[in-house]
Amino acid sequence: MSGQAPILTVTLNPALDLSTAADSVVPDLKLRCDKPVMDPGGGGINVSRAIKIIGGQSTAMVALGGATGARVAEMLREAGLDVLRLTAPGETRQSLAVTDRTTGGQYRFVMPGPEWHMTQVAGTIAAIAEAALAGGWVVVSGSNPPGIAPGFEQMLTVRLKDGRAKLLVDTSGEALMALAGSSIPVDVLRMDSHEAEGLAGRPLPRREDSAEFAAGLVQHGAARMVIVARGADGSVIAGPEGAWHAAAAEVDVVSAVGAGDSFVAGFVLAMARGWPVQEALALGTAAASAAVMTPATQLCHAEDVRHFYSQRVITRL
């Protein structure tokens, strides 16, 4: 697309997501389930899917292995995504979501994925750096597979500096803790309020609290910009140009699954188009608001994203 820098999304631990429902979820009995709905899953895959929905272009680099990996690759092709395939060190994992029709509760079973070794990690970093185009963006989103030690994103940052591509990371757990304590800054680091409060060791009840915490991470060299997602209260970003808040639309939440990936899609697409950072924050927030209105597998709808962005409320903090 003219006017858009290249975007490469990276998914090292994809999954074949199976969703189904049962009358009730109880132990010991055989539970008769509906025919499962199958979707290709994983943070980077979802970001690429949402970018396409919003009207942008990206390339999805996905590590796939075995029969399940072949199935996921075919689904990605059917979805019209531009895919760069990496060879995973084992069978691509599956995940299972079962909705209890009696209570409406959803039970999500997530498998770990194949274990990686250090030699494969080094080759993967080289492959990402080679695929990343100058002036473009690389998005690393979702959990890292077993065997990839914290510090992967920092190693990738060092490699990407040569190619002048920018790196956005949306991760959690040990990888997020390593990034927060690093002095090798990624370009954009995103987390939710729960993760931010865990890192801060204190509640962050107000937007200003989230912004102050994010600015502290920027000051300490963890990232050039830090985004904290505040759920129904929208998102906050802190960076060299100060701190901003974008309000979420008031909508009925059907499923929060995929909201974070939709946010990243909107944000990185706007940045790739050269928009001001506060407008990128607003487009990401509009995409997240649109995503919570749909069932988990659907991400966002383009017309909802456009509508919510047209109604955006951006505040300088």
Side-chain angles (χ1 to χ4, degrees), residues 272-286:
R273 288 174 172 169
W275 293 14
V277 67
Q278 66 271 24
E279 296 295 337
L281 186 73
L283 186 63
T285 305

Side-chain angles (χ1 to χ4, degrees), residues 47-252:
V47 173
S48 276
R49 286 170 62 202
I51 286 171
K52 183 176 173 65
I53 290 167
I54 301 169
Q57 290 181 340
S58 69
T59 299
M61 178 177 271
V62 189
L64 297 167
T68 307
R71 184 81 179 271
V72 171
E74 183 58 34
M75 295 170 90
L76 294 175
R77 277 193 294 272
E78 289 171 359
L81 295 186
D82 181 13
V83 178
L84 271 179
R85 185 169 175 172
L86 294 173
T87 302
E91 183 88 19
T92 296
R93 64 186 177 144
Q94 298 188 16
S95 70
L96 175 65
V98 184
T99 299
D100 182 322
R101 274 192 287 263
T102 303
T103 65
Q106 188 183 61
Y107 297 80
R108 299 171 71 192
F109 304 91
V110 181
M111 309 305 161
E115 181 137 5
W116 288 59
H117 303 286
M118 214 41 227
T119 52
Q120 292 155 329
V121 174
T124 297
I125 288 173
I128 295 168
E130 188 179 332
L133 297 174
W137 282 83
V138 175
V139 177
V140 176
S141 178
S143 63
N144 284 335
I148 291 193
F152 169 81
E153 288 81 6
Q154 290 93 317
M155 290 188 284
L156 180 57
T157 298
V158 173
R159 284 298 295 267
L160 288 176
K161 278 180 182 171
D162 299 336
R164 301 181 304 286
K166 294 185 171 69
L167 178 63
L168 183 156
V169 179
D170 182 6
T171 189
S172 58
E174 289 184 354
L176 177 59
M177 289 178 66
L179 283 161
S182 171
S183 58
I184 303 172
V186 300
D187 292 282
V188 182
L189 177 61
R190 181 192 176 273
M191 67 195 76
D192 63 29
S193 275
H194 176 73
E195 292 160 345
E197 289 176 343
L199 287 175
R202 65 181 189 277
L204 301 169
R206 301 176 308 133
R207 296 167 185 174
E208 291 78 7
D209 299 321
S210 296
E212 185 182 332
F213 167 73
L217 287 179
V218 172
Q219 193 175 348
H220 289 117
R224 291 184 174 83
M225 291 184 276
V226 173
I227 298 168
V228 178
R230 294 179 50 84
D233 190 41
S235 284
V236 164
I237 192 167
E241 297 163 28
W244 302 86
H245 171 264
E250 291 185 16
V251 298
D252 293 328

